[in-house]
Amino acid sequence: GENVEQHPSTLSVQEGDSAVIKCTYSDSASNYFPWYKQELGKGPQLIIDIRSNVGEKKDQRIAVTLNKTAKHFSLHITETQPEDSAVYFCAARGGNTGFQKLVFGTGTRLLVSP
Amino acid sequence: KAGVTQTPRYLIKTRGQQVTLSCSPISGHRSVSWYQQTPGQGLQFLFEYFSETQRNKGNFPGRFSGRQFSNSRSEMNVSTLELGDSALYLCASSPRGLNQETQYFGPGTRLLVL
């Protein structure tokens, strides 16, 4: 089955710096890669996703890149702000049938210091 | 549209008891997935329901079960609770549960087993 690895487990940056979180997946048939942000006491909130027919997607300060050959994808946050502090999860889904479970990485705790 | 709602938000039970958690998906969404989130194991897939049928199942013991009603609302049940069942239980909904559809999470039910 699918396995998703996520690094780093914790990331501390200064406000205004960029943050990069990386994930690798094992199943070459995976074709959907969402990123979720989870704040304390809340459920995961989708912040951006990418599908396998696209190499990069950007939404304001957030971007995701996908390298299908290497089977890895990354989240890039520019101009970080204290409110970006949260746990971020990557996930992968897809396969040879139409209904597959979403497999999550282990999460990255991002701390943005003012 | 209202988001995914889960009730109750918090529960305290003792070992050996059973518990039922409820999830109401986003209006129009027919797929509901359940996840268990713990510090040690991260986000793990429990099962997915679509049109009142369980379509996918994770690697959890038979004590964990679920069902879905004709209005797409879903419940999950855990019988004979163990200490290790203490976790945040999340449900997520999507229109049809297809591989490339976005899943939207609820706030979760935090279960503490004493």
Side-chain angles (χ1 to χ4, degrees), chain A residues 31-32 36 38 41-46 49 51-53 89 93-106, chain B residues 9-10 33 35 37 43 45 48 55-56 58-59 88 90 94 96-108 110:
Chain A
N31 54 15
Y32 176 63
Y36 288 88
Q38 187 173 26
K42 298 183 178 180
Q45 178 186 8
L46 180 80
D49 56 12
R51 292 164 177 83
S52 60
N53 59 342
F89 292 95
R93 189 180 193 188
N96 296 319
T97 61
F99 315 107
Q100 296 292 318
K101 64 181 182 181
L102 200 55
V103 178
F104 284 85
T106 49
Chain B
R9 293 294 311 277
Y10 305 93
S33 296
Y35 296 84
Q37 186 176 28
L43 274 153
F45 174 78
E48 184 235 355
R55 195 163 57 181
N56 274 315
N59 297 322
L88 180 66
L90 295 158
S94 65
R96 289 169 294 169
L98 299 178
N99 284 346
Q100 296 201 342
E101 281 182 355
T102 299
Q103 284 193 353
Y104 297 92
F105 282 83
R110 186 163 297 281

Side-chain angles (χ1 to χ4, degrees), chain B residues 19-60:
Chain B
V19 67
T20 299
L21 312 181
S22 181
C23 171
S24 292
I26 292 171
S27 177
H29 286 192
R30 296 167 60 194
S31 168
V32 174
S33 296
W34 288 89
Y35 296 84
Q36 181 195 64
Q37 186 176 28
T38 59
Q41 298 297 318
L43 274 153
Q44 291 196 297
F45 174 78
L46 280 155
F47 29 64
E48 184 235 355
Y49 285 87
F50 177 80
S51 290
E52 302 177 65
T53 301
Q54 187 182 89
R55 195 163 57 181
N56 274 315
K57 190 177 189 305
N59 297 322
F60 278 81

